[in-house]
Amino acid sequence: MRILIVIICLSIHRVTSQTNQNMQSLMNDIFSNYSPKVRPMVNQQDPLPLDVSFYLSSINEVNEVREKLVTTGYLSLTWTDELLRWTPSDYNNTDTIFIPQNDVWKPDLVLKNGFQKFEELGGSFYYLMVFHDGLVSWWPFDVFESRCSMDITHFPFDTQTCDIKFITWSHYVQQIDILRSSSGIQFYEYEENSVWDLVDTSSEIQKEQRESQVKFTLTLRRKPLYYVINIILPVIFLGYLNILVFVIPVDAGEKMSFSVTVFLSFAVFLTIISTLLPTSSANTPIIATYLIIQLIYGVIALIISAFQLRLHHRNKTEEIPTFWIKVVQIQRKLRCKRTQIDALDTNLNENEVQKIANTDDDSPDVICGWNHVASSIDFFAFWSFLITNVIITVTMFSVSAVS
């Protein structure tokens, strides 16, 4: 029976409660000779170890034009204040207190690569948790706007690596030594971004000369579906519409208007893409290069169409150079088709019709009409544009997707 009573007594935890007098007495004792202006080390020659962790809540914005990263989260800073220690049993087992951040010493940690503001973390309403052994924990929450150099060569299949750097601005590494974060980047009620996927995180301690800083790295991959549907596919389709100008007959009278319309569409897409990209970027996006190539194709198509119209409306009695005759002959061979000559062809006189009828297509003396020359130009231009456009499209977007 005595053994049972002893076991019950040992198993019952002592219930304690701190009163207002206990807390006031503790505050008066530990802050009687305390100053938040003095680094909390008994030996001021020793560095103060500072543990920094980053808890990410969301990625609010990745602005490629301004090269800015906006994130929401908080830092977890832990250090030991050797001047804030007490024995819990002397104050009714009080082992933890909360102190306003401005009443105790705290490290002057700031965002080094901030975008537009440079100020201390936290605020007057923040409290720090202080343990009886001097361990202090601080969790300043903020919206961090940091600079991030963007490489948009593979846009919209690009991957960006952005750094968030924190540094002790006034203290050297001999005074405050930032240690490798115990937990690195963690997540606190993280909300996924609609445009970017967070694929990797890391943390690193950097000590440059006498400075100590911690760098948190976020690796982001863009979700390309929106841009593929709204930009890339329309651009590719317009590129192939540009080739159809060589399918339209010269007599239709729509060659020039069709080609100009497609050219202006490319100009509009180039304007849209330029608003999405950094204006001072050293790297030209592959898609922008592709658009410029398509604009060049459009200009060439306009020139060829204008030249065709000029040839088509030439005087039918004007002699056709041998070069164009050979072009027509090659075109007929490639099409495996022998052109039938109609005596009623308005572009040929009776003598030319008779000469064509009596002459083999392989002969260099074959005479043809200017309409045949225009048709041959359409044939060679169509296949040249189609083959080169397919090669360029497959090559450029394959390279862009492999980022």
Side-chain angles (χ1 to χ4, degrees):
M1 185 67 180
R2 292 181 180 179
I3 297 176
L4 180 61
I5 295 175
V6 172
I7 294 175
I8 294 175
C9 293
L10 292 175
S11 62
I12 297 176
H13 296 281
R14 183 176 54 181
V15 179
T16 58
S17 60
Q18 292 81 34
T19 64
N20 183 39
Q21 289 75 16
N22 297 142
M23 297 301 294
Q24 289 184 358
S25 176
L26 174 60
M27 293 293 184
N28 293 333
D29 291 343
I30 63 176
F31 284 102
S32 60
N33 295 316
Y34 185 87
S35 173
K37 300 178 182 179
V38 179
R39 194 166 56 93
M41 300 292 294
V42 175
N43 186 354
Q44 292 292 311
Q45 301 298 321
D46 295 335
L48 184 145
L50 176 64
D51 183 274
V52 183
S53 300
F54 183 57
Y55 287 79
L56 181 65
S57 295
S58 64
I59 300 173
N60 302 339
E61 179 185 1
V62 181
N63 194 319
E64 299 91 336
V65 178
R66 303 180 66 187
E67 297 190 324
K68 179 177 71 171
L69 172 68
V70 182
T71 55
T72 299
Y74 70 91
L75 292 175
S76 174
L77 292 86
T78 305
W79 68 94
T80 299
D81 192 321
E82 297 181 354
L83 306 181
L84 291 179
R85 289 177 173 174
W86 69 91
T87 302
S89 58
D90 295 341
Y91 303 95
N92 200 10
N93 293 317
T94 302
D95 59 355
T96 305
I97 59 176
F98 290 89
I99 306 296
Q101 73 168 42
N102 293 331
D103 291 346
V104 298
W105 181 94
K106 61 184 184 299
D108 56 336
L109 200 69
V110 294
L111 180 61
K112 182 179 180 181
N113 60 335
F115 188 79
Q116 63 180 6
K117 64 179 182 179
F118 190 79
E119 59 186 17
E120 66 175 347
L121 298 174
S124 58
F125 60 93
Y126 279 84
Y127 279 72
L128 287 75
M129 177 181 281
V130 183
F131 296 87
H132 70 278
D133 58 355
L135 184 66
V136 182
S137 295
W138 183 30
W139 306 284
F141 191 93
D142 204 346
V143 177
F144 301 101
E145 297 183 357
S146 57
R147 296 189 303 272
C148 179
S149 179
M150 303 285 180
D151 182 5
I152 40 77
T153 302
H154 299 279
F155 174 88
F157 305 98
D158 53 328
T159 299
Q160 305 295 339
T161 301
C162 297
D163 298 329
I164 305 176
K165 300 179 181 179
F166 294 94
I167 187 174
T168 52
W169 186 249
S170 301
H171 294 85
Y172 297 139
V173 67
Q174 292 83 3
Q175 298 171 315
I176 298 179
D177 185 15
I178 299 179
L179 304 177
R180 180 173 295 275
S181 172
S182 59
S183 54
I185 297 181
Q186 299 295 316
F187 299 98
Y188 173 73
E189 298 182 354
Y190 180 74
E191 296 180 3
E192 187 175 347
N193 189 273
S194 60
V195 181
W196 296 88
D197 282 326
L198 182 61
V199 297
D200 189 26
T201 62
S202 63
S203 61
E204 180 184 359
I205 302 299
Q206 295 180 337
K207 298 180 181 180
E208 302 175 357
Q209 296 179 353
R210 294 183 296 176
E211 295 180 347
S212 180
Q213 67 178 16
V214 57
K215 180 179 71 173
F216 299 102
T217 302
L218 305 177
T219 303
L220 308 172
R221 181 184 295 124
R222 191 192 304 270
K223 300 176 182 178
L225 182 60
Y226 170 83
Y227 300 96
V228 169
I229 295 176
N230 293 278
I231 295 180
I232 293 181
L233 288 181
V235 167
I236 293 177
F237 293 153
L238 281 175
Y240 289 101
L241 283 178
N242 199 25
I243 302 174
L244 295 181
V245 69
F246 302 114
V247 179
I248 301 175
V250 180
D251 293 332
E254 297 294 334
K255 271 184 172 290
M256 294 298 293
S257 59
F258 180 84
S259 186
V260 169
T261 301
V262 176
F263 178 83
L264 293 178
S265 300
F266 277 117
V268 170
F269 272 97
L270 186 61
T271 303
I272 294 174
I273 292 178
S274 64
T275 61
L276 301 175
L277 305 176
T279 55
S280 60
S281 176
N283 301 313
T284 303
I286 293 177
I287 188 173
T289 304
Y290 180 79
L291 275 173
I292 293 174
I293 293 175
Q294 293 296 339
L295 284 174
I296 295 174
Y297 270 15
V299 172
I300 296 175
L302 279 170
I303 295 174
I304 293 176
S305 298
F307 183 67
Q308 280 182 288
L309 291 173
R310 180 71 177 179
L311 293 179
H312 182 75
H313 292 93
R314 277 193 174 184
N315 193 332
K316 64 181 180 179
T317 61
E318 186 176 348
E319 183 179 359
I320 301 177
T322 305
F323 171 77
W324 292 117
I325 295 176
K326 292 182 178 180
V327 170
V328 174
Q329 289 177 345
I330 296 173
Q331 183 256 347
R332 291 173 182 173
K333 290 180 180 179
L334 292 175
R335 295 181 62 185
C336 298
K337 180 179 180 182
R338 186 180 181 88
T339 304
Q340 300 296 325
I341 305 301
D342 188 354
L344 298 178
D345 192 335
T346 56
N347 287 327
L348 300 175
N349 54 38
E350 294 182 3
N351 294 331
E352 291 173 340
V353 172
Q354 187 63 33
K355 188 171 183 179
I356 295 173
N358 298 328
T359 307
D360 186 76
D361 285 345
D362 294 336
S363 173
D365 297 328
V366 171
I367 298 178
C368 58
W370 288 109
N371 60 330
H372 299 103
V373 173
S375 178
S376 298
I377 293 175
D378 275 335
F379 176 81
F380 287 109
F382 174 81
W383 287 107
S384 299
F385 273 55
L386 179 61
I387 294 173
T388 56
N389 200 12
V390 170
I391 294 174
I392 291 174
T393 301
V394 172
T395 302
M396 300 197 73
F397 285 104
S398 297
V399 173
S400 179
V402 181
S403 58

